[in-house]
Amino acid sequence: MQKIKSLMTRQGLRSPQESVNDLSPIENLRIPTKEELRELHEEPPDPQAQQEIINSIEEVYFSSDSFDIVKYELERLPPVLSLQELEEYRDKLKQQQAAVSKKVADLILEKQPAYVEELERVTSLQSGLQLAAVICTNGRRHLNIAKEGFTQTSLGLLANQRKRQLLIGLLKSLRTIKTLQRTDVRLSEMLEEEDYPGAIQLCLECQKAASTFKHYSCISELNSKLQDTLEQIEEQLDVALSKICKNFDINHYTKVQQAYRLLGKTQTAMDQLHMHFTQAIHNTVFQVVLGYVELCAGNTDTKFQKLQYKDLCTHITSDSYIPCLADLCKALWEVMLSYYRTMQWHENHDQDEAAVVSSDGNNVIGTEENSFDRNYVKKKLEHGLSRIWQDVQLKVKTYLLGTDLSNFKYDDFIFVLDVISRLMQVGEEFCGSKSEVLQESIRKQSVNYFKTYHRTRLEELRMFLENETWELCPVKSSFSILQLHEFKFMEQSRSPSVSPSKQPASAVSSTVTLFEQYCAGGNPFEIQADSKDYETEDVLASNGYESDEQEKSAYQEYDSDSDVPEELKRDFVDEQTGDAPIKSVSRETLRSRKRSDYNLNKVNAPILTNTTLNVIRLVGKYMQMMNILKPIAFDVIHFMSQLFDYYLYAVYTFFGRNDMFESTGLGLSSSRLRTTLNRIQESLIDLDVSADPSGTLTAAEERKEKVPSPHLSHLVVLTSGNSLYGLAERVVATESLVFLAEQFEFLQPHLDAVMPAAKKPFLQQFYSQTVSTASELRKPVYWIVAAKAIDYEQMLLLMANVKWDVKEIMSQHNVYVDALLKEFEEFNRRLNDVSKRVRIPLPVSNILWEHCIRLANRTLVEGYANVKKCSNEGRALMQLDFQQFLMKLEKLTDIRPIPDKEFVETYIKAYYLTENDMESWIKEHREYSTKQLTNLVNICLGTYINKKARQKLLATIDDTDRPKR
């Protein structure tokens, strides 16, 4: 039933008879009778109704061929049978059977033509098979005839020939295999000879040959052995590549590169090379530092080998620090030089390859691959520059910061700076780096070292100043700070921007880099002795003279002046420096001028002390450090300014501080000088030396940055009139300060060049407010000498004994004028004596004379203001005395005009003023004291004006004096 339904559904293509034959007997399908078929044809059924009947058949009838229909229907019968229902059900089954039979019959009739056609084809096929059987029979018969026609010998010959050919091929293969098996010996020999390209070429050829004979079982083992050998070659090649990092050899590196090119691993080789360089840097620095640590420890304790590099650096002792640093830089230089030469090799190789490619345009694909590899290698090498240098910086930084350098000697620390400066120069030439890592690390160490060093130097300077006797340090007249070994770096390069590193022994062009200079051999970090700098320093004169002959000549000239009268000697002021005098020159004056020449020759050299020279040397050392390490330029210049500040403050404290003379109101100390001194005292001087150390931390830190005020040595006597109250010491002190200021002025362009732009206002302020005030210190220092050198109080007493109310005009001046002039002559003599010890420069002598004359003139005015009674004749006598004083004074000094001359003349002339003129005169001349003005009103006008007018003038004086208070 299943097949029937399938046929009905598919509209099968077979004939009814064929369909009947195909049905299995198990199906037990009844074929409709002719009568049933006739009925079916007579009554044409509705196809749709027939299809519905077929569809109403239960599925179980189509389930399987073993289905028992009868049993199924019997089991379905109800327990109580009804005839009518059974008949109805029977009719239904008949209808279903009739519909199925009708459908089967229709299908059989439909496929009848196809069945006939297929049957004809089968018949035709049977005929063809019979013909084929005849052909095969004939073929076999002919084969038997051919077999009988040939002999066994002929066929045997052919078989033997074929076998011979096969054996010849086999022999060749066996010989090749034997050769392959012996190649490992040759490969080992080539590897020992470091012929890596040849070994790889042989190994690759063997692998290619082995692939040809891979059908032999022994070849599989040989293949694996060749592969192992190739890997072994690559390992040895990697080891050979690592050797390049410390000692570059062109031939060696060429072989290695050729070998990697044969392997097709050019890019891999470059990656490995950079890894080896990184490893070489680490291993090199570790081994160098480890060697020194073990050497200093005195044993080979393995605990040091287990330490990290950073911890290992902390075990370096101070004694071994510099040699270890030098060896460290030497070793790192070798690594960087190898990298530099590696890049050079690739540049030259690329140029050669480019030339070959341009001459031969074939093999475009291979050329493109090579070009890609070259570009990769070039970029890799360029990028590796900064990475290699960064590794070097980090290793050196770790070493630098591993030891506290604050207690190092100056020369040792300068050497460290010089080595690092040279290393930074190497870095700049290596990859254009500014070495920020190194600069920051050395900056930290330098600031730390410099604070400690500067503090010690300030304490030393205080000690020097307190023990300084202010004797002249004999130096040659041609003395220059550039002759001191501390300033030799400025001679090597006048430009502060040039690195102060030691120049190599052989002169090289400035355009040649260190890599070009030392490429063939040598090392820029070789320690060079600097003793030559000390040996060539020759600045001291013998006993203050340039030579013994000059000294002898000078004394001879001095002896030749022994016959000059004292009066003529007074015409000469020995502080002259050879300038032509304003007065006419007489023969005697020319003879006395010889002594001026003697003084000039004897001590024409700069006036300075040992302490001054020490400060200058310190400045040179500071500048060395600043030039090597420009990032700390501001700190160094700040400390340099403190050296100058302390020296200036010491000179002022020793020789210029006198509250009595400061209160005279003569403007001896300018406001700028007073401001500078106050600033120094507040920022640098520790006035509270006995302060409690248990104070606040901030106060302690501030005091740590300050220095106690220095005290003048008890060996320096400033109270003796014979020595003009220590004039020689005062001259040496002030003029050494002026000389020191001149050296700072000379160094200003160098300091300005290295000072950061943001800090330049500090430098400008230092020069404008401190350095330039050095010469202003002369006034207060020499004012003390001028105030004590002449007895002005005696002059006032002598003037008080003079009668000024005379009735007739006198033709003879008073005695006090002669006494005053004798004081000046004595002052000139003592000044002459002092000049034999120390040259007194013209500005100093002018200031001294100016101070003395100014004080004398003010003493005269004060004496005239003490007059109780005065007549017109007395006023004329005052003018006569003053004119006599001026006439004699002009013979003693070349100063023109005479200081405060108008001060005296104006006061004397005021005696002739009327009441109305006096009031306006008082308002205009505020330089006179209240006492002096009051005396004018009381003595001069007292007899001519009434009491009210006098009170008015006195009130005007009081109003004028009020702003002064």
Side-chain angles (χ1 to χ4, degrees), residues 15 32 89 96-97 100 105 204 243 274 387 485 519 608 611 627 643 733 744 758 780 810 816 837 842 880 911:
S15 63
Y89 185 66
Q96 290 176 350
Q97 180 184 11
V100 171
L204 292 176
K243 295 179 182 178
H274 281 81
R387 197 179 78 176
H485 72 266
C519 188
L608 68 158
T611 304
N627 253 28
L643 294 176
F744 269 83
M810 305 295 291
Y816 75 88
R837 290 177 53 198
L842 183 61
L880 176 65
Y911 279 91

Side-chain angles (χ1 to χ4, degrees), residues 274 278 281 336 339 343 379-394 427 430-434 437:
H274 281 81
T278 302
I281 291 173
M336 288 187 286
Y339 195 89
M343 290 192 67
K379 290 181 179 179
K380 190 74 176 178
L381 287 171
E382 289 174 352
H383 293 162
L385 284 170
S386 56
R387 197 179 78 176
I388 295 293
W389 177 240
Q390 186 69 11
D391 290 342
V392 170
Q393 284 192 92
L394 292 175
F430 187 67
C431 62
S433 170
K434 296 301 179 183
V437 175

Side-chain angles (χ1 to χ4, degrees), residues 318 321 400-408 445 448-449 452:
S318 299
Y321 186 86
L400 284 175
L401 300 181
T403 303
D404 183 9
L405 307 182
S406 58
N407 296 320
F408 270 41
Q445 284 284 31
N448 182 37
Y449 172 82
T452 305

Side-chain angles (χ1 to χ4, degrees), residues 333 336 385-386 389-390 392-393 420-435 438 514-515 525:
W333 162 261
M336 288 187 286
L385 284 170
S386 56
W389 177 240
Q390 186 69 11
V392 170
Q393 284 192 92
I420 299 303
S421 175
R422 176 59 65 96
L423 186 61
M424 287 192 289
Q425 182 184 351
V426 169
E428 186 169 0
E429 294 179 2
F430 187 67
C431 62
S433 170
K434 296 301 179 183
S435 307
L438 275 180
L514 292 173
F515 287 96
F525 296 99

Side-chain angles (χ1 to χ4, degrees), residues 639-653:
F639 292 147
M640 284 172 57
S641 70
Q642 287 187 347
L643 294 176
F644 186 86
D645 288 347
Y646 196 69
Y647 195 92
L648 175 99
Y649 186 82
V651 172
Y652 170 75
T653 304

Side-chain angles (χ1 to χ4, degrees), residues 504-523:
S506 57
V508 293
S509 174
S510 59
T511 58
V512 178
T513 65
L514 292 173
F515 287 96
E516 294 171 346
Q517 179 183 346
Y518 293 99
C519 188
N523 197 301

Side-chain angles (χ1 to χ4, degrees), residues 435-452:
S435 307
E436 291 83 0
V437 175
L438 275 180
Q439 286 194 18
E440 179 59 24
S441 59
I442 200 65
R443 190 194 69 80
K444 288 181 181 178
Q445 284 284 31
S446 297
V447 171
N448 182 37
Y449 172 82
F450 207 69
K451 284 183 179 178
T452 305

